[in-house]
Amino acid sequence: WQDSGQMSVFLVRDSRPEAIEALRTSLNEDARVDQVEHVPPSAALEEFKSYSGLGRVLEGLDENPLPDVLLVRPATNDPEALTELRDHLSGQAIVAEARLDMAWVKRLQEMMVLGQRVVLALAALLALGVLL
């Protein structure tokens, strides 16, 4: 639930570390962002090896094909705000792609609305039971 609106921001390969840190710092200062985590290519490759089961195949690669990634946890789950933040991130010079699974965010919003309705219905039933 906590990472429901998490965005993956794939950076341009061979981005300078100073530029990555500057983007990370500016995102941490942005009120729309709750948390930013930098995943370097080496860590991403190790994680991919452990979860994919393709460790031997990946060891045969001459170089790491994975880019730097920033995992951005937004401060809100509002679909419009998330789309606006994604568009803002996509416009940055060192960002190759900002990816957000909007279908999951919309499903989460619908489940939250359903939960609120169920709680209201139960509250109404309990109030009716107290009255009777």
Side-chain angles (χ1 to χ4, degrees), residues 4 9 36 40 43 57 59 63 81 84 89 92 105 107 116 121 123:
S4 61
V9 181
V36 180
V57 173
E59 288 173 2
E63 64 179 43
E84 179 183 319
L89 290 172
Q92 300 295 317
V105 172
R107 271 187 260 138
Q116 288 175 342

Side-chain angles (χ1 to χ4, degrees), residues 50-121:
S50 66
Y51 288 115
S52 69
L54 299 173
R56 287 187 171 169
V57 173
L58 295 174
E59 288 173 2
L61 294 175
D62 294 333
E63 64 179 43
N64 187 347
L66 300 176
D68 285 280
V69 176
L70 294 178
L71 299 176
V72 178
R73 182 179 304 157
T76 182
N77 281 331
D78 180 46
E80 291 83 24
L82 291 174
T83 302
E84 179 183 319
L85 180 60
R86 183 194 63 204
D87 293 343
H88 169 73
L89 290 172
S90 295
Q92 300 295 317
I94 65 169
V95 174
E97 180 182 1
R99 188 173 292 170
L100 170 66
D101 183 9
M102 286 304 293
W104 169 247
V105 172
K106 288 179 182 175
R107 271 187 260 138
L108 176 64
Q109 291 288 7
E110 290 170 1
M111 289 189 322
M112 289 174 62
V113 167
L114 177 65
Q116 288 175 342
R117 288 180 182 167
V118 167
V119 167
L120 286 174

